[in-house]
Amino acid sequence: MTDSRSGQDSRSLPDFPGGTAVSHLCVYDWETADGLHGGSPHLHTVSTEAYVVTAGRGEVHTISAEGPARDALAPGALLWFTPGTIHRLVNIEELELAVVMSNAGLPEAGDAVLTFPEEIVADPEAYRAAVALPAEGSETERADAARARRGPGT
């Protein structure tokens, strides 16, 4: 069937928002300061994000206007949240996701806000230095930089 407005096949996700990206994510298995394993807490200022679990087990921890929450993640689970929701992924067992995010490319261009102590968040230059990962370099160097930005001992 053809959509008369666009001339496209109407079975191809009509009205799906432009600029939406889908990516594959293997969640970090690095130990965090609280003894769990996973990524750094962060938020997106204007991007909605969704997770479709494709393998493994884990949790997503969020803080939103509704308060804190912990949602279990297992294959087949779908969970999404709106801009401004602080979130982090916790890897319990080889967690892998398909990530669907609005505003494709924007999170990597300044939409993601990582959590740091107040003195870093309040100083744009200190914040920029704290979040930066090397543009060049090996995967090991980039992983070391990502671990370092989480703070001492993490």
Side-chain angles (χ1 to χ4, degrees), residues 42-48 63-65 81-87 111:
H42 65 283
L43 64 88
H44 302 282
T45 58
V46 296
S47 296
T48 296
I63 302 173
S64 68
F81 38 89
T82 57
T85 300
I86 299 170
H87 57 283
D111 176 51

Side-chain angles (χ1 to χ4, degrees), residues 1-37:
M1 179 188 294
T2 301
D3 183 329
S4 61
R5 292 173 291 155
S6 67
Q8 294 179 333
D9 184 338
S10 63
R11 295 169 292 173
S12 64
L13 299 176
D15 301 320
F16 200 71
T20 299
V22 178
S23 59
H24 176 255
L25 176 66
C26 294
V27 178
Y28 294 138
D29 60 0
W30 307 336
E31 188 169 352
T32 59
D34 58 2
L36 300 175
H37 295 83

Side-chain angles (χ1 to χ4, degrees), residues 59-118:
E59 295 179 331
V60 63
H61 298 178
T62 58
I63 302 173
S64 68
E66 287 78 42
R70 290 181 177 217
D71 290 285
L73 299 174
L78 168 66
L79 185 129
W80 80 87
F81 38 89
T82 57
T85 300
I86 299 170
H87 57 283
R88 77 165 177 169
L89 286 164
V90 174
N91 187 346
I92 295 172
E93 181 185 331
E94 299 180 10
L95 182 60
E96 294 186 33
L97 313 168
V99 178
V100 181
M101 182 170 276
S102 64
N103 301 307
L106 185 59
E108 291 75 24
D111 176 51
V113 178
L114 294 166
T115 58
F116 290 105
E118 184 176 344

